[in-house]
Every structure is written in C-alpha cells, then in structure tokens.
Short mmCIF file of all heavy atoms in Angstrom, two decimals:
data_model
loop_
_atom_site.label_atom_id
_atom_site.label_comp_id
_atom_site.label_asym_id
_atom_site.label_seq_id
_atom_site.Cartn_x
_atom_site.Cartn_y
_atom_site.Cartn_z
N GLU J 1052 25.37 -12.89 5.66
CA GLU J 1052 26.35 -13.84 5.13
C GLU J 1052 27.53 -13.06 4.56
O GLU J 1052 27.42 -11.87 4.25
CB GLU J 1052 25.73 -14.70 4.03
CG GLU J 1052 25.31 -13.89 2.80
CD GLU J 1052 24.84 -14.76 1.63
OE1 GLU J 1052 24.85 -15.99 1.76
OE2 GLU J 1052 24.45 -14.17 0.59
N LYS J 1053 28.66 -13.76 4.44
CA LYS J 1053 29.82 -13.16 3.79
C LYS J 1053 29.95 -13.80 2.41
O LYS J 1053 30.13 -15.00 2.28
CB LYS J 1053 31.08 -13.39 4.62
CG LYS J 1053 32.25 -12.50 4.19
CD LYS J 1053 33.41 -12.59 5.18
CE LYS J 1053 34.47 -11.55 4.87
NZ LYS J 1053 35.59 -11.60 5.86
N LYS J 1054 29.84 -12.97 1.38
CA LYS J 1054 29.89 -13.45 0.02
C LYS J 1054 30.91 -12.63 -0.77
O LYS J 1054 30.87 -11.40 -0.75
CB LYS J 1054 28.50 -13.33 -0.64
CG LYS J 1054 28.45 -13.93 -2.04
CD LYS J 1054 27.03 -13.87 -2.60
CE LYS J 1054 26.96 -14.50 -3.99
NZ LYS J 1054 25.59 -14.43 -4.54
N ASP J 1055 31.81 -13.34 -1.41
CA ASP J 1055 32.88 -12.69 -2.19
C ASP J 1055 33.64 -11.68 -1.33
O ASP J 1055 33.99 -10.57 -1.79
CB ASP J 1055 32.30 -11.99 -3.43
CG ASP J 1055 31.61 -12.98 -4.37
OD1 ASP J 1055 32.07 -14.14 -4.45
OD2 ASP J 1055 30.62 -12.59 -4.99
N GLY J 1056 33.86 -12.06 -0.08
CA GLY J 1056 34.67 -11.24 0.81
C GLY J 1056 33.95 -10.07 1.45
O GLY J 1056 34.59 -9.28 2.15
N ARG J 1057 32.64 -9.94 1.23
CA ARG J 1057 31.89 -8.80 1.79
C ARG J 1057 30.65 -9.31 2.51
O ARG J 1057 30.01 -10.27 2.08
CB ARG J 1057 31.48 -7.81 0.69
CG ARG J 1057 32.64 -7.06 0.06
CD ARG J 1057 32.14 -6.06 -0.98
NE ARG J 1057 31.28 -5.06 -0.39
CZ ARG J 1057 31.73 -3.94 0.21
NH1 ARG J 1057 33.02 -3.71 0.29
NH2 ARG J 1057 30.88 -3.05 0.70
N TRP J 1058 30.31 -8.61 3.60
CA TRP J 1058 29.12 -8.95 4.35
C TRP J 1058 27.88 -8.33 3.72
O TRP J 1058 27.92 -7.21 3.21
CB TRP J 1058 29.26 -8.48 5.80
CG TRP J 1058 30.20 -9.34 6.59
CD1 TRP J 1058 31.51 -9.07 6.87
CD2 TRP J 1058 29.90 -10.60 7.18
NE1 TRP J 1058 32.04 -10.10 7.60
CE2 TRP J 1058 31.08 -11.06 7.81
CE3 TRP J 1058 28.76 -11.41 7.23
CZ2 TRP J 1058 31.15 -12.26 8.49
CZ3 TRP J 1058 28.83 -12.61 7.91
CH2 TRP J 1058 30.00 -13.03 8.53
N GLN J 1059 26.78 -9.11 3.74
CA GLN J 1059 25.51 -8.63 3.20
C GLN J 1059 24.37 -9.36 3.92
O GLN J 1059 24.57 -10.39 4.55
CB GLN J 1059 25.41 -8.90 1.70
CG GLN J 1059 25.40 -10.40 1.35
CD GLN J 1059 25.22 -10.66 -0.13
OE1 GLN J 1059 25.57 -9.84 -0.97
NE2 GLN J 1059 24.68 -11.81 -0.47
N TYR J 1060 23.17 -8.78 3.84
CA TYR J 1060 22.00 -9.50 4.31
C TYR J 1060 21.74 -10.68 3.38
O TYR J 1060 21.82 -10.55 2.15
CB TYR J 1060 20.78 -8.60 4.37
CG TYR J 1060 20.86 -7.55 5.46
CD1 TYR J 1060 21.01 -6.20 5.15
CD2 TYR J 1060 20.79 -7.90 6.81
CE1 TYR J 1060 21.09 -5.23 6.14
CE2 TYR J 1060 20.88 -6.95 7.80
CZ TYR J 1060 21.04 -5.62 7.47
OH TYR J 1060 21.12 -4.67 8.46
N LEU J 1061 21.43 -11.83 3.96
CA LEU J 1061 21.10 -13.00 3.16
C LEU J 1061 19.83 -12.72 2.37
O LEU J 1061 18.78 -12.44 2.96
CB LEU J 1061 20.90 -14.20 4.09
CG LEU J 1061 20.69 -15.56 3.44
CD1 LEU J 1061 21.94 -16.01 2.69
CD2 LEU J 1061 20.30 -16.59 4.49
N PRO J 1062 19.90 -12.76 1.03
CA PRO J 1062 18.74 -12.34 0.23
C PRO J 1062 17.46 -13.09 0.55
O PRO J 1062 16.37 -12.51 0.48
CB PRO J 1062 19.21 -12.60 -1.21
CG PRO J 1062 20.70 -12.50 -1.15
CD PRO J 1062 21.07 -13.07 0.18
N SER J 1063 17.55 -14.36 0.90
CA SER J 1063 16.35 -15.17 1.15
C SER J 1063 15.83 -15.05 2.57
O SER J 1063 14.79 -15.63 2.90
CB SER J 1063 16.66 -16.64 0.87
OG SER J 1063 17.69 -17.11 1.73
N SER J 1064 16.52 -14.26 3.43
CA SER J 1064 16.14 -14.20 4.84
C SER J 1064 15.01 -13.21 5.07
O SER J 1064 14.80 -12.28 4.28
CB SER J 1064 17.34 -13.83 5.70
OG SER J 1064 17.81 -12.53 5.37
N ARG J 1065 14.28 -13.41 6.16
CA ARG J 1065 13.15 -12.56 6.51
C ARG J 1065 13.52 -11.62 7.65
O ARG J 1065 14.39 -11.89 8.46
CB ARG J 1065 11.96 -13.43 6.96
CG ARG J 1065 11.26 -14.14 5.82
CD ARG J 1065 10.22 -15.09 6.37
NE ARG J 1065 9.32 -15.59 5.34
CZ ARG J 1065 8.47 -16.59 5.51
NH1 ARG J 1065 8.40 -17.20 6.68
NH2 ARG J 1065 7.69 -16.98 4.52
N ASP J 1066 12.80 -10.51 7.69
CA ASP J 1066 12.86 -9.62 8.84
C ASP J 1066 12.05 -10.24 9.97
O ASP J 1066 10.88 -10.59 9.77
CB ASP J 1066 12.27 -8.25 8.50
CG ASP J 1066 13.07 -7.53 7.44
OD1 ASP J 1066 14.31 -7.62 7.46
OD2 ASP J 1066 12.46 -6.85 6.59
N ILE J 1067 12.65 -10.35 11.16
CA ILE J 1067 11.95 -10.94 12.29
C ILE J 1067 12.19 -10.11 13.55
O ILE J 1067 13.15 -9.35 13.64
CB ILE J 1067 12.40 -12.39 12.55
CG1 ILE J 1067 13.90 -12.45 12.86
CG2 ILE J 1067 12.04 -13.29 11.37
CD1 ILE J 1067 14.37 -13.83 13.32
N HIS J 1068 11.30 -10.27 14.50
CA HIS J 1068 11.52 -9.80 15.86
C HIS J 1068 12.06 -10.96 16.68
O HIS J 1068 11.50 -12.06 16.66
CB HIS J 1068 10.23 -9.27 16.48
CG HIS J 1068 9.93 -7.86 16.09
ND1 HIS J 1068 8.65 -7.33 16.12
CD2 HIS J 1068 10.73 -6.85 15.67
CE1 HIS J 1068 8.68 -6.06 15.73
NE2 HIS J 1068 9.93 -5.76 15.45
N LEU J 1069 13.13 -10.70 17.40
CA LEU J 1069 13.89 -11.75 18.07
C LEU J 1069 14.33 -11.28 19.45
O LEU J 1069 14.79 -10.13 19.60
CB LEU J 1069 15.11 -12.10 17.22
CG LEU J 1069 16.02 -13.23 17.67
CD1 LEU J 1069 15.29 -14.57 17.57
CD2 LEU J 1069 17.28 -13.26 16.80
N ILE J 1070 14.18 -12.13 20.46
CA ILE J 1070 14.71 -11.82 21.79
C ILE J 1070 16.21 -12.09 21.77
O ILE J 1070 16.65 -13.20 21.51
CB ILE J 1070 14.02 -12.67 22.87
CG1 ILE J 1070 12.52 -12.37 22.91
CG2 ILE J 1070 14.65 -12.41 24.25
CD1 ILE J 1070 11.72 -13.30 23.80
N TRP J 1071 17.01 -11.05 22.05
CA TRP J 1071 18.46 -11.17 21.93
C TRP J 1071 19.20 -11.02 23.26
O TRP J 1071 20.40 -11.32 23.35
CB TRP J 1071 19.01 -10.14 20.94
CG TRP J 1071 18.75 -8.71 21.28
CD1 TRP J 1071 17.64 -7.98 20.99
CD2 TRP J 1071 19.62 -7.83 22.00
NE1 TRP J 1071 17.76 -6.70 21.47
CE2 TRP J 1071 18.97 -6.56 22.10
CE3 TRP J 1071 20.90 -7.96 22.56
CZ2 TRP J 1071 19.54 -5.47 22.73
CZ3 TRP J 1071 21.46 -6.86 23.20
CH2 TRP J 1071 20.79 -5.64 23.27
N SER J 1072 18.50 -10.57 24.31
CA SER J 1072 19.15 -10.40 25.60
C SER J 1072 18.08 -10.30 26.68
O SER J 1072 16.89 -10.10 26.38
CB SER J 1072 20.04 -9.16 25.60
OG SER J 1072 20.77 -9.05 26.81
N TRP J 1073 18.49 -10.41 27.93
CA TRP J 1073 17.55 -10.32 29.04
C TRP J 1073 18.28 -9.87 30.29
O TRP J 1073 19.50 -9.96 30.39
CB TRP J 1073 16.88 -11.67 29.31
CG TRP J 1073 17.84 -12.71 29.83
CD1 TRP J 1073 18.69 -13.49 29.07
CD2 TRP J 1073 18.07 -13.08 31.19
NE1 TRP J 1073 19.43 -14.31 29.88
CE2 TRP J 1073 19.08 -14.09 31.19
CE3 TRP J 1073 17.55 -12.66 32.41
CZ2 TRP J 1073 19.55 -14.66 32.37
CZ3 TRP J 1073 18.02 -13.24 33.58
CH2 TRP J 1073 19.00 -14.23 33.55
N MET J 1074 17.51 -9.37 31.26
CA MET J 1074 18.08 -9.05 32.56
C MET J 1074 17.00 -9.08 33.63
O MET J 1074 15.84 -8.71 33.39
CB MET J 1074 18.76 -7.68 32.57
CG MET J 1074 17.87 -6.50 32.29
SD MET J 1074 18.72 -4.88 32.44
CE MET J 1074 18.47 -4.55 34.19
N THR J 1075 17.37 -9.58 34.81
CA THR J 1075 16.55 -9.46 36.01
C THR J 1075 16.98 -8.21 36.75
O THR J 1075 18.18 -7.99 36.98
CB THR J 1075 16.72 -10.69 36.92
OG1 THR J 1075 16.36 -11.87 36.20
CG2 THR J 1075 15.85 -10.57 38.16
N ILE J 1076 16.03 -7.37 37.13
CA ILE J 1076 16.36 -6.10 37.79
C ILE J 1076 16.85 -6.36 39.21
O ILE J 1076 16.17 -7.00 40.01
CB ILE J 1076 15.13 -5.18 37.83
CG1 ILE J 1076 14.62 -4.91 36.40
CG2 ILE J 1076 15.48 -3.86 38.52
CD1 ILE J 1076 13.27 -4.20 36.37
N GLY J 1077 18.06 -5.85 39.49
CA GLY J 1077 18.61 -5.96 40.83
C GLY J 1077 18.54 -4.67 41.62
O GLY J 1077 18.37 -4.67 42.84
N GLU J 1078 18.67 -3.53 40.91
CA GLU J 1078 18.62 -2.21 41.54
C GLU J 1078 18.02 -1.22 40.54
O GLU J 1078 18.11 -1.41 39.33
CB GLU J 1078 20.01 -1.71 41.92
CG GLU J 1078 20.77 -2.56 42.92
CD GLU J 1078 22.16 -2.01 43.17
OE1 GLU J 1078 22.27 -0.97 43.85
OE2 GLU J 1078 23.13 -2.62 42.67
N THR J 1079 17.45 -0.16 41.08
CA THR J 1079 17.00 0.97 40.25
C THR J 1079 17.52 2.25 40.88
O THR J 1079 17.77 2.30 42.09
CB THR J 1079 15.47 1.04 40.13
OG1 THR J 1079 14.91 1.36 41.40
CG2 THR J 1079 14.91 -0.28 39.63
N PHE J 1080 17.68 3.29 40.04
CA PHE J 1080 18.16 4.57 40.56
C PHE J 1080 17.56 5.68 39.72
O PHE J 1080 17.68 5.68 38.49
CB PHE J 1080 19.69 4.64 40.50
CG PHE J 1080 20.30 5.60 41.48
CD1 PHE J 1080 20.79 5.15 42.69
CD2 PHE J 1080 20.36 6.96 41.22
CE1 PHE J 1080 21.34 6.02 43.62
CE2 PHE J 1080 20.89 7.85 42.12
CZ PHE J 1080 21.39 7.38 43.34
N ASP J 1081 16.89 6.62 40.38
CA ASP J 1081 16.29 7.76 39.67
C ASP J 1081 17.36 8.79 39.33
O ASP J 1081 18.24 9.09 40.15
CB ASP J 1081 15.20 8.40 40.52
CG ASP J 1081 13.96 7.54 40.60
OD1 ASP J 1081 13.60 6.92 39.59
OD2 ASP J 1081 13.34 7.47 41.69
N LEU J 1082 17.25 9.36 38.12
CA LEU J 1082 18.24 10.31 37.62
C LEU J 1082 17.60 11.60 37.13
O LEU J 1082 18.13 12.28 36.26
CB LEU J 1082 19.03 9.67 36.46
CG LEU J 1082 19.74 8.35 36.76
CD1 LEU J 1082 20.30 7.75 35.46
CD2 LEU J 1082 20.85 8.54 37.77
N GLY J 1083 16.46 11.95 37.71
CA GLY J 1083 15.72 13.09 37.20
C GLY J 1083 16.32 14.44 37.49
O GLY J 1083 16.01 15.42 36.81
N THR J 1084 17.21 14.52 38.49
CA THR J 1084 17.82 15.80 38.84
C THR J 1084 19.34 15.69 38.76
O THR J 1084 19.90 14.59 38.78
CB THR J 1084 17.43 16.23 40.26
OG1 THR J 1084 18.01 15.31 41.21
CG2 THR J 1084 15.91 16.24 40.43
N GLN J 1085 19.99 16.84 38.70
CA GLN J 1085 21.45 16.84 38.65
C GLN J 1085 22.05 16.21 39.91
O GLN J 1085 23.03 15.46 39.83
CB GLN J 1085 21.96 18.27 38.50
CG GLN J 1085 23.48 18.39 38.36
CD GLN J 1085 24.02 17.69 37.13
OE1 GLN J 1085 23.36 17.67 36.10
NE2 GLN J 1085 25.21 17.10 37.24
N SER J 1086 21.46 16.48 41.06
CA SER J 1086 21.99 15.90 42.30
C SER J 1086 21.85 14.38 42.31
O SER J 1086 22.75 13.67 42.80
CB SER J 1086 21.27 16.50 43.52
OG SER J 1086 19.88 16.21 43.49
N GLN J 1087 20.75 13.86 41.74
CA GLN J 1087 20.59 12.40 41.65
C GLN J 1087 21.62 11.80 40.71
O GLN J 1087 22.16 10.72 40.98
CB GLN J 1087 19.17 12.07 41.19
CG GLN J 1087 18.11 12.30 42.25
CD GLN J 1087 16.71 12.07 41.72
OE1 GLN J 1087 16.41 12.39 40.55
NE2 GLN J 1087 15.84 11.54 42.56
N ARG J 1088 21.89 12.49 39.60
CA ARG J 1088 22.88 11.96 38.66
C ARG J 1088 24.27 11.97 39.30
O ARG J 1088 25.05 11.01 39.12
CB ARG J 1088 22.87 12.79 37.37
CG ARG J 1088 21.60 12.56 36.55
CD ARG J 1088 21.69 13.21 35.19
NE ARG J 1088 21.62 14.68 35.27
CZ ARG J 1088 20.49 15.38 35.28
NH1 ARG J 1088 19.31 14.76 35.24
NH2 ARG J 1088 20.52 16.70 35.33
N GLU J 1089 24.61 13.00 40.04
CA GLU J 1089 25.90 13.05 40.72
C GLU J 1089 25.99 11.96 41.79
O GLU J 1089 27.05 11.35 41.98
CB GLU J 1089 26.12 14.43 41.33
CG GLU J 1089 26.28 15.54 40.30
CD GLU J 1089 27.45 15.29 39.35
OE1 GLU J 1089 28.49 14.76 39.79
OE2 GLU J 1089 27.30 15.60 38.15
N GLN J 1090 24.87 11.72 42.48
CA GLN J 1090 24.88 10.67 43.49
C GLN J 1090 25.05 9.30 42.86
O GLN J 1090 25.76 8.43 43.40
CB GLN J 1090 23.58 10.70 44.29
CG GLN J 1090 23.56 9.78 45.51
CD GLN J 1090 24.59 10.17 46.53
OE1 GLN J 1090 24.63 11.30 46.99
NE2 GLN J 1090 25.45 9.22 46.90
N ALA J 1091 24.42 9.09 41.70
CA ALA J 1091 24.58 7.81 41.00
C ALA J 1091 26.03 7.58 40.59
O ALA J 1091 26.56 6.47 40.71
CB ALA J 1091 23.67 7.77 39.78
N LYS J 1092 26.69 8.63 40.11
CA LYS J 1092 28.10 8.51 39.72
C LYS J 1092 28.97 8.19 40.94
O LYS J 1092 29.94 7.43 40.83
CB LYS J 1092 28.57 9.81 39.06
CG LYS J 1092 27.93 10.09 37.71
CD LYS J 1092 28.40 11.44 37.17
CE LYS J 1092 27.70 11.78 35.87
NZ LYS J 1092 28.10 13.11 35.35
N ALA J 1093 28.63 8.77 42.08
CA ALA J 1093 29.40 8.50 43.30
C ALA J 1093 29.16 7.08 43.80
O ALA J 1093 30.10 6.41 44.26
CB ALA J 1093 29.02 9.52 44.38
#
C-alpha cells in the first residue's frame, strides 16, 4: 500500500505463494556449449 506518500507492505497482509505468470513451451534450445550458445544467438 502507499501510505503518507511512501510504499510499504500492508501490515495486516500475509505472505503467500501465488501463481503470477505462465507459458506453454513452443521451442527448446540447449546451451551447454559455446557453439550452441552462438547458434542460439544466430
């Protein structure tokens, strides 16, 4: 919350685990070697 012009954690709020983003995998690329990393950049 913003209180008296400054941001702070809301004192009454709890720490939680929350799903904040998601993705479906479309491609994968291995980067274990320098040549693989250069190929990925290309």
Side-chain angles (χ1 to χ4, degrees):
E1052 64 174 358
K1053 195 171 189 178
K1054 185 176 182 181
D1055 299 327
R1057 292 182 62 84
W1058 286 99
Q1059 64 177 26
Y1060 290 111
L1061 186 66
S1063 61
S1064 63
R1065 286 173 168 169
D1066 295 322
I1067 60 172
H1068 277 156
L1069 183 67
I1070 298 171
W1071 60 274
S1072 185
W1073 66 278
M1074 62 176 272
T1075 301
I1076 302 170
E1078 299 177 73
T1079 68
F1080 204 97
D1081 288 322
L1082 303 172
T1084 67
Q1085 183 62 34
S1086 61
Q1087 288 175 323
R1088 290 188 289 274
E1089 293 302 323
Q1090 189 63 55
K1092 292 176 184 178

